Amino acid sequence: MSIFKLSPSQRAAVECTTSPAIVTAGAGSGKTRTLTNKIAHLINEKKIDPTRILAITFTNKAAGEMKSRVGIATGRSPQDFPWVRTFHSACFSILKEHCNLLGYQKPLLIHDESQQKAHLKKVLAELDLDRKYLSGAAAMISNAKNSGDPLSFIRHQGRLPRKGEIFRLYNESLEQSNSVDFDDILLLTRDLLEKFSEIRCHYQNSFDYILIDEFQDSNDIQNQIVDLLVVNGNLTVVGDDYQSIYRFRGADPKHFIDFPKKYAGAEVFRLEENYRSTTQIVAAADRLISFNARRIEKQCFSRREGEPIVVAEFATDALEASWVAKKCRNHVHSKGIPLEKIAILYRTKFTSLPFERALRQERIPYTMVGAQGFFQRREVQDLNCYLISAVNKKDDVSFERIINVPRRSIGPGAMNKILQYKDGSLGLQEAAWRAVEKKILPKKTSAALEELLRLLQSLAEEKPGRALQRVIEEVNYEDYVRSFSENPDDAAGRMENIQQMVFDASQKHTIAEYLEDAALLREDQDASDKKSGIRLSTVHAAKGLEYEVVFIVAVEEGVLPHRRSVSLPEEKDREDAIEEERRLMYVAMTRASDFLHITFSRMRRGECMPPSRFLDEIPPEHLIGPE
């Protein structure tokens, strides 16, 4: 991997080693090659000891790949690069070495998600709080720690009962076990470097050069740590603010955009040639992103001529999905494109259902990227189990799932009493009726159980859409969704799934017909080969991936950009949110190397949908209608 294989702009970025540098790299512009070559250049040409280079990536996989590539370029073993790490890995290496200064003993251990939940369950029990708050409490604690000021965050965010006590007791439980959670790693390392000048000086003197990949995805606390480590200006950051789409995780593109202001004399290098996508795709995406006011401007281009971008409008989402499925088949059969090189991308998860159904009808294999199929999602399964229990009293598995969802004080003791009445011919639901009639349960529990049984009894002859709507309203399922969701956006996404589910059910005549269709779709997804098939994915999950053919679907106002973004009350918040939505559209477009199709429907879930504003921001000379 020689420096002479680089383009002039890549080579300039690699050779800049005497001042802070920011490499703003367009999609498909070879930023990984540039970063890898810079590390090799520091070692081979500048004779810097590889153990004195801190190179930060955002995933363990990326760190491993970087070690391997730099090893090839320098003729060294991957073990010679101990500080090519993720943020968390590098910080834990520091933290575990000096944890005694913060009151911990060696060896310091990291508790994983299951262990964190065990701590939280104990805390909720101690505070006599319902376990339904478990997910919300875990998310609150994580967000608080990543904010950099946990106590202030806890005071001003969230609506969990006794949230301050939950946070305090959880951390005390961790400390008593001489452990930290994943989010503590950054927070405590920041505290360590801030409080102890000798430790800070030691690590400042340990690194001759610091490089950070995907810098547009860094958050406040990560930047605070970088500030505490950098003293000589030997810092290079690489990324693309056009692709900053993780604000919901705390990422803020301002750290990338404001880098030249923060570091006096910083050199800015622009990698503008896209080696992946065609001229038409790159030009269209570059024009779209130019409508964002806050960005480091680039003039992205490609030397690969291709076909115009297809934009197709449909009357309904079902017609849209059918066209996409047939077009997928056409790409496979007429152009010989492998199934796994084709992706259908969407902004929100609820959008997947029509496309799952259309692909099944066309007998085209598909797989979900980083997500479950529609009918595998928790809230969808819960509500479907209500309908199953309404029409099939012998389905014990479905009834057992929803007997205490939402909570009805039907714990193990109550279940054991109910099971006394279950025999070979009597199902669990019928046994529950017997338990109510025999008055063997506590009065409150018996009343709640009888209310559930009567609801199920009354649903059997309802139309499926109406039956689902009744369940949602009568068991207060929306409140239950909020209680187990990680954050308000997660709750809103789950409610979108439910709305899609109700609409889908309303298109069927009977509950049995609806459940049969749902079961067949779920069976297809359970059996799908994860290595082959059309990729269905949210745009977030597709970042970093590339496909020969991409369909961006449901490009409508209220979906992309999402209605939550366009309806924020504060103008500044609304502008920031819409800019992030535009970056999502940019990311989706630049996943395509050869063929890009953008589709939208005038009617989705029975609601009129205007086309997305982003369609008007793409130059018409790069667009063509469907064949």
Side-chain angles (χ1 to χ4, degrees):
M1 190 178 290
S2 166
I3 194 171
F4 300 108
K5 292 181 180 178
L6 302 175
S7 70
S9 55
Q10 290 171 333
R11 185 179 298 113
V14 166
E15 292 177 339
C16 175
T17 58
T18 57
S19 66
I22 178 170
V23 182
T24 175
S29 63
K31 73 176 180 63
T32 302
R33 168 179 286 209
T34 303
L35 186 59
T36 303
N37 270 276
K38 183 151 192 172
I39 298 172
H41 179 70
L42 290 169
I43 296 168
N44 292 340
E45 306 300 327
K46 297 300 179 180
K47 307 304 179 185
I48 293 180
D49 184 341
T51 65
R52 295 183 60 80
I53 295 173
L54 173 62
I56 296 294
T57 69
F58 268 75
T59 67
N60 289 313
K61 180 182 178 183
E65 290 175 351
M66 186 173 290
K67 284 184 181 182
S68 177
R69 292 186 186 190
V70 176
I72 293 170
T74 60
R76 293 174 179 263
S77 165
Q79 285 70 40
D80 291 340
F81 310 101
W83 289 101
V84 176
R85 294 173 175 262
T86 64
F87 257 116
H88 285 86
S89 174
C91 286
F92 190 66
S93 185
I94 295 170
L95 181 61
K96 68 181 182 181
E97 189 66 28
H98 309 284
C99 62
N100 57 301
L101 295 173
L102 296 175
Y104 294 91
Q105 297 176 359
K106 298 179 182 179
L108 182 64
L109 300 177
I110 303 171
H111 273 195
D112 62 19
E113 185 178 352
S114 64
Q115 293 165 312
Q116 293 170 36
K117 286 183 177 178
H119 286 290
L120 266 177
K121 286 176 183 176
K122 184 176 72 171
V123 168
L124 293 176
E126 186 175 340
L127 295 175
D128 197 27
L129 291 173
D130 198 306
R131 278 196 185 184
K132 70 181 182 181
Y133 296 115
L134 183 64
S135 296
M140 176 193 73
I141 291 168
S142 177
N143 292 333
K145 291 181 178 182
N146 278 294
S147 75
D149 188 355
L151 296 182
S152 175
F153 183 94
I154 294 293
R155 280 196 300 270
H156 297 103
Q157 301 286 331
R159 53 184 181 182
L160 287 175
R162 306 178 74 175
K163 56 186 180 179
E165 292 174 276
I166 292 173
F167 185 76
R168 175 179 59 81
L169 291 173
Y170 168 77
N171 285 316
E172 288 177 0
S173 181
L174 272 179
E175 290 166 11
Q176 287 165 8
S177 61
N178 197 56
S179 303
V180 295
D181 64 23
F182 196 68
D183 299 302
D184 279 324
I185 295 172
L186 299 184
L187 182 67
L188 294 178
T189 301
R190 191 276 311 269
D191 293 347
L192 184 72
L193 294 172
E194 274 188 344
K195 292 177 181 177
F196 300 99
S197 59
E198 68 277 16
I199 303 299
R200 181 169 67 252
C201 289
H202 169 75
Y203 285 100
Q204 287 173 343
N205 294 326
S206 294
F207 304 121
D208 291 330
Y209 215 96
I210 298 176
L211 306 98
I212 305 172
D213 195 12
E214 302 289 2
F215 193 64
Q216 80 281 348
D217 292 333
S218 62
N219 61 23
D220 289 347
I221 199 165
Q222 289 165 341
N223 275 269
Q224 291 166 18
I225 292 168
V226 173
D227 292 344
L228 290 164
L229 291 175
V230 174
V231 288
N232 55 13
N234 288 347
L235 170 66
T236 292
V237 300
V238 180
D240 183 9
D241 55 295
Y242 292 6
Q243 298 187 67
S244 181
I245 59 173
Y246 295 120
R247 184 179 289 271
F248 67 95
R249 294 181 187 168
D252 192 336
K254 75 177 182 182
H255 299 299
F256 189 89
I257 295 168
D258 293 342
F259 186 93
K261 299 177 186 175
K262 182 176 180 179
Y263 291 92
E267 293 277 353
V268 179
F269 299 94
R270 293 173 172 83
L271 305 187
E272 297 171 315
E273 181 170 1
N274 185 312
Y275 299 100
R276 174 197 302 153
S277 305
T278 64
T279 296
Q280 290 82 353
I281 293 170
V282 174
D286 200 52
R287 176 59 176 162
L288 171 83
I289 205 66
S290 71
F291 284 85
N292 273 9
R294 280 183 52 78
R295 69 188 194 284
I296 297 180
E297 189 169 349
K298 299 186 291 291
Q299 299 295 325
C300 296
F301 66 96
S302 169
R303 303 179 197 272
R304 291 184 60 226
E305 281 298 324
E307 296 186 6
I309 299 165
V310 176
V311 176
E313 172 186 350
F314 298 92
T316 68
D317 53 358
L319 291 172
E320 176 191 24
S322 177
W323 181 86
V324 168
K326 288 180 171 63
K327 196 72 176 175
C328 286
R329 182 176 294 284
N330 179 259
H331 278 295
V332 173
H333 288 171
S334 66
K335 298 184 175 71
I337 295 173
L339 289 169
E340 61 271 17
K341 295 294 184 181
I342 302 174
I344 299 171
L345 306 182
Y346 37 83
R347 168 65 177 86
T348 52
K349 292 178 181 178
F350 82 85
T351 321
S352 75
L353 181 55
F355 299 93
E356 291 183 60
R357 176 170 286 112
L359 290 170
R360 177 180 174 273
Q361 289 172 346
E362 290 291 321
R363 299 184 181 276
I364 299 174
Y366 68 92
T367 187
M368 314 295 291
V369 177
Q372 299 167 312
F374 185 85
F375 287 108
Q376 295 169 316
R377 294 164 192 164
R378 174 178 176 175
E379 59 280 4
V380 175
Q381 289 192 57
D382 282 351
L383 293 173
N384 274 347
C385 282
Y386 270 91
L387 298 197
I388 293 168
S389 298
V391 296
N392 183 4
K393 293 179 171 52
K394 297 292 186 183
D395 191 323
D396 290 352
V397 172
S398 295
F399 183 65
E400 187 170 2
R401 180 184 179 108
I402 54 97
I403 193 172
N404 206 35
V405 172
R407 295 292 290 268
R408 298 183 177 88
S409 302
I410 303 173
M415 280 299 294
N416 286 334
K417 290 181 179 180
I418 294 170
L419 289 170
Q420 292 174 14
Y421 293 96
K422 188 178 184 307
D423 58 33
S425 62
L426 204 63
L428 182 61
Q429 192 174 159
E430 294 164 304
W433 269 116
R434 289 277 185 90
V436 169
E437 292 164 357
K438 298 292 185 181
K439 303 187 186 317
I440 63 167
L441 300 172
K443 190 172 182 180
K444 181 180 177 182
T445 302
S446 184
L449 181 57
E450 182 175 1
E451 186 178 353
L452 168 65
L453 293 167
R454 293 197 182 283
L455 170 63
L456 296 176
Q457 197 174 53
S458 69
L459 293 176
E461 301 304 321
E462 290 273 21
K463 294 291 187 184
R466 173 60 184 154
L468 280 174
Q469 196 63 54
R470 280 191 57 199
V471 172
I472 295 161
E473 293 170 0
E474 294 183 31
V475 306
N476 296 317
Y477 193 79
E478 187 169 352
D479 287 345
Y480 178 66
V481 166
R482 291 195 189 99
S483 75
F484 70 73
S485 297
E486 293 184 0
N487 52 53
D489 284 349
D490 181 36
R494 292 179 186 276
M495 289 309 301
E496 285 179 334
N497 290 339
I498 291 170
Q499 291 161 14
Q500 176 68 50
M501 181 185 185
V502 172
F503 173 75
D504 190 61
S506 71
Q507 306 304 296
K508 307 298 181 184
H509 296 294
T510 67
I511 291 177
E513 181 188 356
Y514 162 73
L515 290 173
E516 178 184 344
D517 183 65
L520 289 170
L521 269 177
R522 180 170 179 179
E523 182 182 18
D524 284 350
Q525 182 56 34
D526 287 343
S528 68
D529 181 352
K530 300 299 180 183
K531 294 181 181 178
S532 66
I534 305 291
R535 272 31 180 179
L536 269 67
S537 174
T538 63
V539 180
H540 283 103
K543 186 177 181 292
L545 303 177
E546 59 182 86
Y547 302 93
E548 288 185 42
V549 182
V550 167
F551 295 85
I552 312 174
V553 300
V555 184
E556 300 138 11
E557 285 291 306
V559 180
L560 181 60
H562 198 279
R563 68 183 71 221
R564 290 196 299 272
S565 299
V566 301
S567 61
L568 288 170
E570 297 295 328
E571 184 177 358
K572 177 64 169 60
D573 293 340
R574 190 164 60 250
E575 289 173 353
D576 287 346
I578 291 173
E579 289 206 349
E580 176 140 335
E581 294 291 310
R582 188 176 286 111
R583 292 194 292 269
L584 273 168
M585 183 69 180
Y586 175 89
V587 166
M589 293 174 71
T590 54
R591 297 314 90 203
S593 64
D594 294 273
F595 302 98
L596 177 60
H597 310 281
I598 301 173
T599 66
F600 64 96
S601 168
R602 288 289 184 177
M603 189 75 68
R604 189 168 303 279
R605 297 182 304 190
E607 178 184 353
C608 292
M609 306 293 291
S612 170
R613 68 188 71 188
F614 299 150
L615 293 172
D616 291 331
E617 297 171 358
I618 300 173
E621 60 266 27
H622 300 305
L623 306 178
I624 192 172
E627 296 174 0

